[in-house]
PDB file of all heavy atoms in Angstrom:
ATOM      1  N   GLY A   1     -57.304   2.688  57.011  1.00 88.00           N
ATOM      2  CA  GLY A   1     -57.610   1.821  55.875  1.00 88.00           C
ATOM      3  C   GLY A   1     -57.338   2.435  54.524  1.00 88.00           C
ATOM      4  O   GLY A   1     -57.682   1.853  53.496  1.00 88.00           O
ATOM      5  N   TYR A   2     -56.668   3.596  54.461  1.00 77.00           N
ATOM      6  CA  TYR A   2     -56.333   4.260  53.184  1.00 77.00           C
ATOM      7  C   TYR A   2     -54.916   3.935  52.785  1.00 77.00           C
ATOM      8  O   TYR A   2     -53.985   4.099  53.567  1.00 77.00           O
ATOM      9  CB  TYR A   2     -56.519   5.758  53.294  1.00 77.00           C
ATOM     10  CG  TYR A   2     -56.296   6.490  52.007  1.00 77.00           C
ATOM     11  CD1 TYR A   2     -57.094   6.259  50.886  1.00 77.00           C
ATOM     12  CD2 TYR A   2     -55.212   7.374  51.859  1.00 77.00           C
ATOM     13  CE1 TYR A   2     -56.886   6.928  49.696  1.00 77.00           C
ATOM     14  CE2 TYR A   2     -55.006   8.035  50.667  1.00 77.00           C
ATOM     15  CZ  TYR A   2     -55.830   7.802  49.597  1.00 77.00           C
ATOM     16  OH  TYR A   2     -55.607   8.461  48.389  1.00 77.00           O
ATOM     17  N   THR A   3     -54.743   3.458  51.536  1.00 70.00           N
ATOM     18  CA  THR A   3     -53.434   3.028  51.063  1.00 70.00           C
ATOM     19  C   THR A   3     -52.854   3.901  49.931  1.00 70.00           C
ATOM     20  O   THR A   3     -51.688   3.685  49.567  1.00 70.00           O
ATOM     21  CB  THR A   3     -53.465   1.571  50.599  1.00 70.00           C
ATOM     22  OG1 THR A   3     -54.403   1.432  49.544  1.00 70.00           O
ATOM     23  CG2 THR A   3     -53.842   0.648  51.731  1.00 70.00           C
ATOM     24  N   TYR A   4     -53.646   4.820  49.358  1.00 69.00           N
ATOM     25  CA  TYR A   4     -53.142   5.661  48.304  1.00 69.00           C
ATOM     26  C   TYR A   4     -52.247   6.769  48.842  1.00 69.00           C
ATOM     27  O   TYR A   4     -52.415   7.225  49.990  1.00 69.00           O
ATOM     28  CB  TYR A   4     -54.300   6.254  47.520  1.00 69.00           C
ATOM     29  CG  TYR A   4     -55.060   5.260  46.659  1.00 69.00           C
ATOM     30  CD1 TYR A   4     -56.163   5.691  45.908  1.00 69.00           C
ATOM     31  CD2 TYR A   4     -54.688   3.954  46.586  1.00 69.00           C
ATOM     32  CE1 TYR A   4     -56.838   4.788  45.115  1.00 69.00           C
ATOM     33  CE2 TYR A   4     -55.409   3.048  45.815  1.00 69.00           C
ATOM     34  CZ  TYR A   4     -56.463   3.486  45.065  1.00 69.00           C
ATOM     35  OH  TYR A   4     -57.170   2.592  44.293  1.00 69.00           O
ATOM     36  N   SER A   5     -51.354   7.272  47.984  1.00 77.00           N
ATOM     37  CA  SER A   5     -50.443   8.336  48.362  1.00 77.00           C
ATOM     38  C   SER A   5     -50.889   9.726  47.876  1.00 77.00           C
ATOM     39  O   SER A   5     -50.347  10.736  48.332  1.00 77.00           O
ATOM     40  CB  SER A   5     -49.044   8.030  47.872  1.00 77.00           C
ATOM     41  OG  SER A   5     -49.026   7.961  46.463  1.00 77.00           O
ATOM     42  N   THR A   6     -51.847   9.753  46.979  1.00 85.00           N
ATOM     43  CA  THR A   6     -52.352  11.033  46.460  1.00 85.00           C
ATOM     44  C   THR A   6     -53.822  11.124  46.748  1.00 85.00           C
ATOM     45  O   THR A   6     -54.603  10.209  46.354  1.00 85.00           O
ATOM     46  CB  THR A   6     -52.080  11.176  44.963  1.00 85.00           C
ATOM     47  OG1 THR A   6     -52.661  10.096  44.248  1.00 85.00           O
ATOM     48  CG2 THR A   6     -50.575  11.203  44.694  1.00 85.00           C
ATOM     49  N   TYR A   7     -54.281  12.222  47.357  1.00 90.00           N
ATOM     50  CA  TYR A   7     -55.673  12.335  47.790  1.00 90.00           C
ATOM     51  C   TYR A   7     -55.939  13.735  48.230  1.00 90.00           C
ATOM     52  O   TYR A   7     -55.041  14.554  48.390  1.00 90.00           O
ATOM     53  CB  TYR A   7     -55.932  11.393  48.969  1.00 90.00           C
ATOM     54  CG  TYR A   7     -55.022  11.649  50.170  1.00 90.00           C
ATOM     55  CD1 TYR A   7     -55.378  12.599  51.111  1.00 90.00           C
ATOM     56  CD2 TYR A   7     -53.830  10.987  50.297  1.00 90.00           C
ATOM     57  CE1 TYR A   7     -54.546  12.857  52.178  1.00 90.00           C
ATOM     58  CE2 TYR A   7     -52.994  11.257  51.355  1.00 90.00           C
ATOM     59  CZ  TYR A   7     -53.368  12.194  52.291  1.00 90.00           C
ATOM     60  OH  TYR A   7     -52.513  12.461  53.358  1.00 90.00           O
ATOM     61  N   CYS A   8     -57.205  14.049  48.388  1.00 93.00           N
ATOM     62  CA  CYS A   8     -57.634  15.235  49.084  1.00 93.00           C
ATOM     63  C   CYS A   8     -58.506  14.801  50.275  1.00 93.00           C
ATOM     64  O   CYS A   8     -59.246  13.842  50.183  1.00 93.00           O
ATOM     65  CB  CYS A   8     -58.477  16.163  48.191  1.00 93.00           C
ATOM     66  SG  CYS A   8     -57.596  16.925  46.828  1.00 93.00           S
ATOM     67  N   MET A   9     -58.399  15.567  51.341  1.00 94.00           N
ATOM     68  CA  MET A   9     -59.351  15.394  52.443  1.00 94.00           C
ATOM     69  C   MET A   9     -60.038  16.712  52.692  1.00 94.00           C
ATOM     70  O   MET A   9     -59.419  17.771  52.558  1.00 94.00           O
ATOM     71  CB  MET A   9     -58.644  14.898  53.698  1.00 94.00           C
ATOM     72  CG  MET A   9     -58.072  13.502  53.572  1.00 94.00           C
ATOM     73  SD  MET A   9     -57.606  12.742  55.144  1.00 94.00           S
ATOM     74  CE  MET A   9     -59.247  12.402  55.818  1.00 94.00           C
ATOM     75  N   GLY A  10     -61.289  16.653  53.053  1.00 95.00           N
ATOM     76  CA  GLY A  10     -62.051  17.889  53.269  1.00 95.00           C
ATOM     77  C   GLY A  10     -63.023  17.820  54.397  1.00 95.00           C
ATOM     78  O   GLY A  10     -63.346  16.740  54.912  1.00 95.00           O
ATOM     79  N   TRP A  11     -63.427  19.005  54.828  1.00 97.00           N
ATOM     80  CA  TRP A  11     -64.459  19.147  55.798  1.00 97.00           C
ATOM     81  C   TRP A  11     -65.700  19.758  55.126  1.00 97.00           C
ATOM     82  O   TRP A  11     -65.565  20.768  54.381  1.00 97.00           O
ATOM     83  CB  TRP A  11     -64.042  20.047  56.962  1.00 97.00           C
ATOM     84  CG  TRP A  11     -63.052  19.425  57.889  1.00 97.00           C
ATOM     85  CD1 TRP A  11     -61.711  19.580  57.905  1.00 97.00           C
ATOM     86  CD2 TRP A  11     -63.366  18.530  58.975  1.00 97.00           C
ATOM     87  NE1 TRP A  11     -61.134  18.826  58.900  1.00 97.00           N
ATOM     88  CE2 TRP A  11     -62.130  18.198  59.589  1.00 97.00           C
ATOM     89  CE3 TRP A  11     -64.557  18.015  59.479  1.00 97.00           C
ATOM     90  CZ2 TRP A  11     -62.070  17.329  60.696  1.00 97.00           C
ATOM     91  CZ3 TRP A  11     -64.474  17.143  60.582  1.00 97.00           C
ATOM     92  CH2 TRP A  11     -63.228  16.855  61.171  1.00 97.00           C
ATOM     93  N   PHE A  12     -66.809  19.159  55.346  1.00 97.00           N
ATOM     94  CA  PHE A  12     -68.098  19.685  54.859  1.00 97.00           C
ATOM     95  C   PHE A  12     -69.044  19.891  56.065  1.00 97.00           C
ATOM     96  O   PHE A  12     -68.802  19.304  57.127  1.00 97.00           O
ATOM     97  CB  PHE A  12     -68.748  18.718  53.849  1.00 97.00           C
ATOM     98  CG  PHE A  12     -67.974  18.580  52.569  1.00 97.00           C
ATOM     99  CD1 PHE A  12     -66.805  17.838  52.496  1.00 97.00           C
ATOM    100  CD2 PHE A  12     -68.461  19.199  51.426  1.00 97.00           C
ATOM    101  CE1 PHE A  12     -66.126  17.731  51.314  1.00 97.00           C
ATOM    102  CE2 PHE A  12     -67.763  19.097  50.218  1.00 97.00           C
ATOM    103  CZ  PHE A  12     -66.607  18.329  50.163  1.00 97.00           C
ATOM    104  N   ARG A  13     -70.073  20.657  55.848  1.00 97.00           N
ATOM    105  CA  ARG A  13     -71.054  20.833  56.910  1.00 97.00           C
ATOM    106  C   ARG A  13     -72.458  20.978  56.322  1.00 97.00           C
ATOM    107  O   ARG A  13     -72.611  21.354  55.203  1.00 97.00           O
ATOM    108  CB  ARG A  13     -70.712  22.066  57.775  1.00 97.00           C
ATOM    109  CG  ARG A  13     -70.834  23.415  57.056  1.00 97.00           C
ATOM    110  CD  ARG A  13     -70.341  24.537  57.956  1.00 97.00           C
ATOM    111  NE  ARG A  13     -70.468  25.838  57.303  1.00 97.00           N
ATOM    112  CZ  ARG A  13     -70.048  26.969  57.855  1.00 97.00           C
ATOM    113  NH1 ARG A  13     -69.439  26.959  59.027  1.00 97.00           N
ATOM    114  NH2 ARG A  13     -70.219  28.115  57.189  1.00 97.00           N
ATOM    115  N   GLN A  14     -73.438  20.625  57.144  1.00 97.00           N
ATOM    116  CA  GLN A  14     -74.807  20.694  56.709  1.00 97.00           C
ATOM    117  C   GLN A  14     -75.646  21.144  57.897  1.00 97.00           C
ATOM    118  O   GLN A  14     -75.700  20.512  58.917  1.00 97.00           O
ATOM    119  CB  GLN A  14     -75.312  19.356  56.192  1.00 97.00           C
ATOM    120  CG  GLN A  14     -76.674  19.432  55.569  1.00 97.00           C
ATOM    121  CD  GLN A  14     -77.023  18.198  54.733  1.00 97.00           C
ATOM    122  OE1 GLN A  14     -76.364  17.182  54.850  1.00 97.00           O
ATOM    123  NE2 GLN A  14     -78.035  18.309  53.895  1.00 97.00           N
ATOM    124  N   ALA A  15     -76.312  22.304  57.694  1.00 96.00           N
ATOM    125  CA  ALA A  15     -77.217  22.832  58.690  1.00 96.00           C
ATOM    126  C   ALA A  15     -78.628  22.413  58.390  1.00 96.00           C
ATOM    127  O   ALA A  15     -78.956  22.080  57.262  1.00 96.00           O
ATOM    128  CB  ALA A  15     -77.093  24.375  58.716  1.00 96.00           C
ATOM    129  N   PRO A  16     -79.509  22.404  59.406  1.00 91.00           N
ATOM    130  CA  PRO A  16     -80.905  22.036  59.161  1.00 91.00           C
ATOM    131  C   PRO A  16     -81.535  22.878  58.062  1.00 91.00           C
ATOM    132  O   PRO A  16     -81.421  24.091  58.068  1.00 91.00           O
ATOM    133  CB  PRO A  16     -81.568  22.277  60.523  1.00 91.00           C
ATOM    134  CG  PRO A  16     -80.463  22.118  61.517  1.00 91.00           C
ATOM    135  CD  PRO A  16     -79.252  22.676  60.812  1.00 91.00           C
ATOM    136  N   GLY A  17     -82.163  22.198  57.109  1.00 93.00           N
ATOM    137  CA  GLY A  17     -82.845  22.912  56.009  1.00 93.00           C
ATOM    138  C   GLY A  17     -81.927  23.430  54.935  1.00 93.00           C
ATOM    139  O   GLY A  17     -82.411  24.102  54.018  1.00 93.00           O
ATOM    140  N   LYS A  18     -80.653  23.152  54.995  1.00 93.00           N
ATOM    141  CA  LYS A  18     -79.710  23.617  54.009  1.00 93.00           C
ATOM    142  C   LYS A  18     -78.944  22.448  53.379  1.00 93.00           C
ATOM    143  O   LYS A  18     -78.889  21.376  53.916  1.00 93.00           O
ATOM    144  CB  LYS A  18     -78.706  24.618  54.644  1.00 93.00           C
ATOM    145  CG  LYS A  18     -79.354  25.840  55.217  1.00 93.00           C
ATOM    146  CD  LYS A  18     -78.321  26.809  55.782  1.00 93.00           C
ATOM    147  CE  LYS A  18     -77.424  27.370  54.713  1.00 93.00           C
ATOM    148  NZ  LYS A  18     -76.444  28.356  55.255  1.00 93.00           N
ATOM    149  N   GLY A  19     -78.360  22.726  52.241  1.00 92.00           N
ATOM    150  CA  GLY A  19     -77.580  21.702  51.559  1.00 92.00           C
ATOM    151  C   GLY A  19     -76.181  21.555  52.144  1.00 92.00           C
ATOM    152  O   GLY A  19     -75.753  22.378  52.995  1.00 92.00           O
ATOM    153  N   ARG A  20     -75.488  20.554  51.720  1.00 93.00           N
ATOM    154  CA  ARG A  20     -74.128  20.332  52.184  1.00 93.00           C
ATOM    155  C   ARG A  20     -73.197  21.380  51.646  1.00 93.00           C
ATOM    156  O   ARG A  20     -73.202  21.688  50.428  1.00 93.00           O
ATOM    157  CB  ARG A  20     -73.670  18.950  51.799  1.00 93.00           C
ATOM    158  CG  ARG A  20     -72.329  18.518  52.420  1.00 93.00           C
ATOM    159  CD  ARG A  20     -72.048  17.051  52.092  1.00 93.00           C
ATOM    160  NE  ARG A  20     -73.078  16.177  52.595  1.00 93.00           N
ATOM    161  CZ  ARG A  20     -73.145  14.883  52.301  1.00 93.00           C
ATOM    162  NH1 ARG A  20     -72.236  14.318  51.523  1.00 93.00           N
ATOM    163  NH2 ARG A  20     -74.140  14.146  52.806  1.00 93.00           N
ATOM    164  N   GLU A  21     -72.370  21.932  52.476  1.00 94.00           N
ATOM    165  CA  GLU A  21     -71.455  23.031  52.119  1.00 94.00           C
ATOM    166  C   GLU A  21     -70.037  22.643  52.378  1.00 94.00           C
ATOM    167  O   GLU A  21     -69.682  22.150  53.476  1.00 94.00           O
ATOM    168  CB  GLU A  21     -71.816  24.290  52.951  1.00 94.00           C
ATOM    169  CG  GLU A  21     -70.877  25.476  52.747  1.00 94.00           C
ATOM    170  CD  GLU A  21     -71.126  26.569  53.741  1.00 94.00           C
ATOM    171  OE1 GLU A  21     -71.718  26.304  54.801  1.00 94.00           O
ATOM    172  OE2 GLU A  21     -70.672  27.703  53.453  1.00 94.00           O
ATOM    173  N   GLY A  22     -69.179  22.855  51.399  1.00 96.00           N
ATOM    174  CA  GLY A  22     -67.757  22.621  51.568  1.00 96.00           C
ATOM    175  C   GLY A  22     -67.152  23.696  52.495  1.00 96.00           C
ATOM    176  O   GLY A  22     -67.482  24.877  52.378  1.00 96.00           O
ATOM    177  N   VAL A  23     -66.310  23.282  53.402  1.00 97.00           N
ATOM    178  CA  VAL A  23     -65.717  24.195  54.381  1.00 97.00           C
ATOM    179  C   VAL A  23     -64.245  24.408  54.095  1.00 97.00           C
ATOM    180  O   VAL A  23     -63.786  25.537  53.978  1.00 97.00           O
ATOM    181  CB  VAL A  23     -65.911  23.680  55.816  1.00 97.00           C
ATOM    182  CG1 VAL A  23     -65.205  24.556  56.810  1.00 97.00           C
ATOM    183  CG2 VAL A  23     -67.397  23.528  56.123  1.00 97.00           C
ATOM    184  N   ALA A  24     -63.469  23.323  53.994  1.00 96.00           N
ATOM    185  CA  ALA A  24     -62.032  23.410  53.769  1.00 96.00           C
ATOM    186  C   ALA A  24     -61.528  22.113  53.215  1.00 96.00           C
ATOM    187  O   ALA A  24     -62.146  21.048  53.462  1.00 96.00           O
ATOM    188  CB  ALA A  24     -61.321  23.754  55.070  1.00 96.00           C
ATOM    189  N   THR A  25     -60.463  22.148  52.442  1.00 95.00           N
ATOM    190  CA  THR A  25     -59.869  20.958  51.888  1.00 95.00           C
ATOM    191  C   THR A  25     -58.346  21.089  51.918  1.00 95.00           C
ATOM    192  O   THR A  25     -57.787  22.172  51.902  1.00 95.00           O
ATOM    193  CB  THR A  25     -60.382  20.717  50.460  1.00 95.00           C
ATOM    194  OG1 THR A  25     -59.896  19.443  49.982  1.00 95.00           O
ATOM    195  CG2 THR A  25     -59.892  21.827  49.507  1.00 95.00           C
ATOM    196  N   ILE A  26     -57.709  19.928  51.981  1.00 94.00           N
ATOM    197  CA  ILE A  26     -56.269  19.880  51.945  1.00 94.00           C
ATOM    198  C   ILE A  26     -55.834  18.751  51.081  1.00 94.00           C
ATOM    199  O   ILE A  26     -56.413  17.675  51.053  1.00 94.00           O
ATOM    200  CB  ILE A  26     -55.672  19.697  53.384  1.00 94.00           C
ATOM    201  CG1 ILE A  26     -54.150  19.787  53.345  1.00 94.00           C
ATOM    202  CG2 ILE A  26     -56.125  18.411  54.030  1.00 94.00           C
ATOM    203  CD1 ILE A  26     -53.561  19.926  54.776  1.00 94.00           C
ATOM    204  N   ALA A  27     -54.787  18.982  50.246  1.00 92.00           N
ATOM    205  CA  ALA A  27     -54.324  18.005  49.263  1.00 92.00           C
ATOM    206  C   ALA A  27     -52.990  17.398  49.716  1.00 92.00           C
ATOM    207  O   ALA A  27     -52.152  18.068  50.282  1.00 92.00           O
ATOM    208  CB  ALA A  27     -54.159  18.666  47.882  1.00 92.00           C
ATOM    209  N   SER A  28     -52.831  16.120  49.381  1.00 88.00           N
ATOM    210  CA  SER A  28     -51.575  15.466  49.651  1.00 88.00           C
ATOM    211  C   SER A  28     -50.459  16.038  48.794  1.00 88.00           C
ATOM    212  O   SER A  28     -50.720  16.761  47.847  1.00 88.00           O
ATOM    213  CB  SER A  28     -51.686  13.960  49.408  1.00 88.00           C
ATOM    214  OG  SER A  28     -51.899  13.719  48.040  1.00 88.00           O
ATOM    215  N   GLY A  29     -49.233  15.746  49.149  1.00 83.00           N
ATOM    216  CA  GLY A  29     -48.084  16.254  48.397  1.00 83.00           C
ATOM    217  C   GLY A  29     -47.643  17.586  48.945  1.00 83.00           C
ATOM    218  O   GLY A  29     -46.902  17.652  49.914  1.00 83.00           O
ATOM    219  N   ASP A  30     -48.077  18.641  48.308  1.00 82.00           N
ATOM    220  CA  ASP A  30     -47.662  19.987  48.742  1.00 82.00           C
ATOM    221  C   ASP A  30     -48.522  20.523  49.877  1.00 82.00           C
ATOM    222  O   ASP A  30     -48.223  21.601  50.415  1.00 82.00           O
ATOM    223  CB  ASP A  30     -47.667  20.980  47.566  1.00 82.00           C
ATOM    224  CG  ASP A  30     -49.032  21.189  46.947  1.00 82.00           C
ATOM    225  OD1 ASP A  30     -50.030  20.621  47.439  1.00 82.00           O
ATOM    226  OD2 ASP A  30     -49.104  21.918  45.926  1.00 82.00           O
ATOM    227  N   GLY A  31     -49.578  19.821  50.250  1.00 87.00           N
ATOM    228  CA  GLY A  31     -50.415  20.245  51.334  1.00 87.00           C
ATOM    229  C   GLY A  31     -51.223  21.486  51.069  1.00 87.00           C
ATOM    230  O   GLY A  31     -51.594  22.222  52.045  1.00 87.00           O
TER     231      GLY A  31
END
C-alpha cells in the first residue's frame, strides 16, 4: 500500500518495562 519513492524503513524494539528503542534503519535511494 505504499506509493512514495522516498522513505525510510526501520526496526524498533520494546522490552518489558523499557521504552521503545531504535534498532536499525534503511533509506530509499542510496540504501
Side-chain angles (χ1 to χ4, degrees):
Y2 183 64
T3 60
Y4 289 179
S5 60
T6 57
Y7 58 87
C8 292
M9 295 195 73
W11 287 98
F12 292 77
R13 66 187 183 185
Q14 188 165 16
K18 299 181 66 177
R20 189 173 300 172
E21 176 189 19
V23 176
T25 187
I26 186 167
S28 65
D30 62 4

